[in-house]
Amino acid sequence: MTHPYQSVPVRSSEITPRDVYLSRRDFIKAAGVIAGSVALAACLSSPEDAPGMTDTPAGDSPAPDVNRPAFTDELGDPANTFEEITNYNNYYEFSTNKEAVAPLSKNFTTSPWTVEVYGMVNKPKTFGVEDILKLFPQEERIYRLRCVEAWSMVIPWNGFPLASLLNMVEPTSDAKYVRFETVYRPEEMKGQGSPFYPWPYQEGLRLDEAMNDLTLIATGIYGETILPQNGAPLRLVVPWKYGFKSIKSIVKIELTDQRPNTLWNTVAPNEYGFYANVNPNVDHPRWSQASERRIGEFTRRETLMFNGYGEQVAYLYEGMDLSLQY
Ligand code: MTE
C-alpha cells in the first residue's frame, strides 16, 4: 500500500497523489477529533527534576484510540492522532506540564522568524522561514519519537533534511559539530524565568549525525503548519535519539569544532549524555529504558536499539562503546 508519509526518503513516483492525500488527511482530522475527547494521563515534572521523574506506569495510560489513522511507519506502527501529538508536549519554556504547553503557547509569535546559520562555514546566511520553505522541497516522513521519559509516539512530519541547509552554507573542513539554539523570549515564554535551567535551550550533533539523511528540520505535522507546542516554526527531529535532542523553535545553527554544551547535559551530565542514542540496554540512572509506553496504547512495548533506525545510523558509532554512551 502506498501512503504519503514514509520514514525513509521516497521517490516522487511513490508519493500518493495530492487529492487522495487530502481526502485521507480529512479522515485523519475527523478521527483525531474523536480521539481528542480521550483525556491523556498527566505526566508532570517539577522544575528541579530532570525530565521523566514521574512518568506514569502502563496502568495509567490513556485509553487506546480505536480510531487510530491508517498511516503507519515502516515497522507497521500506526501514527498517533493529531490531537495526541499536539496536546502532550515537552516544552519547558512554556511549562513542565505536558498538557499545559498547548494552551500556554497558543499565541506565541512565530512570524516573522529568522534562523542564522554561521560559524565554520564559507557562506554564512540568515534565512527567513519563507525563504526556507521556498528553497528546500518539503518531504513527508513518519518517524517514531522516543522520549527519554520512556513514552513514545509516531509522528507524520513535514520538513526537509538538515543536510540540504548545511550544504548550502558550506561547512569548512574544521567544522566537527553543529550547535542549535532555541529562541530566548522570556516575555512570551514564562518557563524561561525559571532559574533551574540555563536558557536558552541548546542542543548539538556531530556533523556526520547532522548530515545523516534521517535528520530533519520539521515545518509541519500531518500536512499542517507546525504548531507552537511542537516547536514552530522550525524544529529539529533526530529520530534515533531521545526526544530531548530534537530542539524546538530554532533561531541559531552554529558550525563549530567544539562539542556544544547542551541544556540537559549541563543540568544533569550523568543522566543526559551528549549522544543520547536510544538504547534499551543502558538504563537511565533512575528508570529502565528497556520498554516504553506508546501514547494511546495500554501495554508497554520493547524499546528498540537506535529506536529501530540502526540500519540507517549504526555506522556512525562503529568502534564506540555504546554501553558508555547514554
Ligand atoms: N526543545 C525545547 N526548546 N524545549 C524543550 O523543553 N523538549 C524536548 C524536545 N525539544 C524541549 C525541546 C523533549 S524532552 C522532547 S521529548 C521533545 O521535544 C518533545 O517533542 P513534542 O512535544 O513535539 O512531542
Side-chain angles (χ1 to χ4, degrees), residues 61-75:
S61 301
D65 172 15
V66 288
N67 298 299
R68 195 63 72 80
F71 296 97
T72 61
D73 67 9
E74 83 294 349
L75 297 182

Side-chain angles (χ1 to χ4, degrees), residues 3-145:
H3 54 70
Y5 292 99
Q6 301 283 329
S7 64
V8 289
V10 285
R11 291 189 300 276
S12 55
S13 59
E14 292 175 339
I15 294 176
T16 307
R18 181 95 184 134
D19 52 340
V20 177
Y21 164 64
L22 286 174
S23 63
R24 280 186 187 162
R25 207 177 57 170
D26 288 346
F27 165 73
I28 289 159
K29 282 164 92 178
V33 169
I34 299 161
S37 62
V38 177
L40 293 170
C43 179
L44 307 179
S45 301
S46 56
E48 64 272 25
D49 294 336
M53 266 296 275
T54 54
D55 189 41
T56 47
D60 293 346
S61 301
D65 172 15
V66 288
N67 298 299
R68 195 63 72 80
F71 296 97
T72 61
D73 67 9
E74 83 294 349
L75 297 182
D77 293 341
N80 282 90
T81 63
F82 189 78
E83 272 60 30
E84 287 168 334
I85 296 166
T86 56
N87 286 290
Y88 190 80
N89 301 103
N90 269 333
Y91 203 164
Y92 275 42
E93 284 86 338
F94 290 102
S95 176
T96 56
N97 174 351
K98 294 178 187 18
E99 291 169 303
V101 171
L104 288 172
S105 62
K106 200 169 55 170
N107 298 320
F108 179 59
T109 312
T110 56
S111 178
W113 193 278
T114 56
V115 56
E116 184 187 355
V117 192
Y118 65 106
M120 294 180 161
V121 296
N122 290 325
K123 298 182 173 167
K125 187 170 161 64
T126 298
F127 297 86
V129 170
E130 45 310 320
D131 309 326
I132 282 185
L133 293 172
K134 272 189 223 133
L135 283 166
F136 306 106
Q138 304 294 301
E139 300 177 19
E140 295 155 338
R141 301 203 192 173
I142 298 178
Y143 284 160
R144 295 174 291 284
L145 176 98

